[in-house]
């Protein structure tokens, strides 16, 4: 679990530095991430990853509404990494 979290955090940082997630609008990334979180298979390992990703999605949405887009994008990118959406 720790290795997966560390890997997702590394991917999150790489995507932010590389600008991968900034090519799309935050709203479209949020919608895509929410849809992916609903469709992840229901195995036990995937469930814990999906639950963690859902928590980060909610936090990202909240931060975005408060006007802190940079932190919101960071959390959303982390959630996308957990769901395997980073390319």
């Amino acid at each position: 679990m720790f290795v997966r979290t560390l890997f997702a955090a590394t991917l999150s940082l790489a995507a932010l530095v590389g600008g991968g997630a900034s090519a799309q609008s935050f709203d479209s990334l949020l919608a895509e991430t929410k849809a992916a979180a609903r469709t992840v298979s229901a195995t036990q390992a995937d469930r814990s990853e999906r639950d963690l990703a859902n928590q980060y999605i909610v936090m990202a949405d909240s931060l975005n509404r408060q006007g802190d887009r940079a932190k919101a994008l960071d959390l959303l990118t982390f959630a996308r990494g957990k769901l395997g959406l980073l390319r």
Side-chain angles (χ1 to χ4, degrees), residues 33-82:
T33 307
K34 284 181 178 180
R38 287 189 300 268
T39 60
V40 171
S41 67
T43 66
Q44 186 61 35
D46 289 340
R47 182 177 181 192
S48 65
E49 297 293 310
R50 184 182 66 228
D51 289 346
L52 183 60
N54 280 324
Q55 291 174 1
Y56 277 84
I57 291 167
V58 169
M59 289 187 291
D61 192 20
S62 177
L63 283 170
N64 184 53
R65 290 177 191 207
Q66 295 173 25
D68 196 347
R69 185 158 293 204
K71 285 183 184 176
L73 186 56
D74 185 33
L75 292 175
L76 187 62
T77 303
F78 183 81
R80 293 172 59 78
K82 288 300 220 182

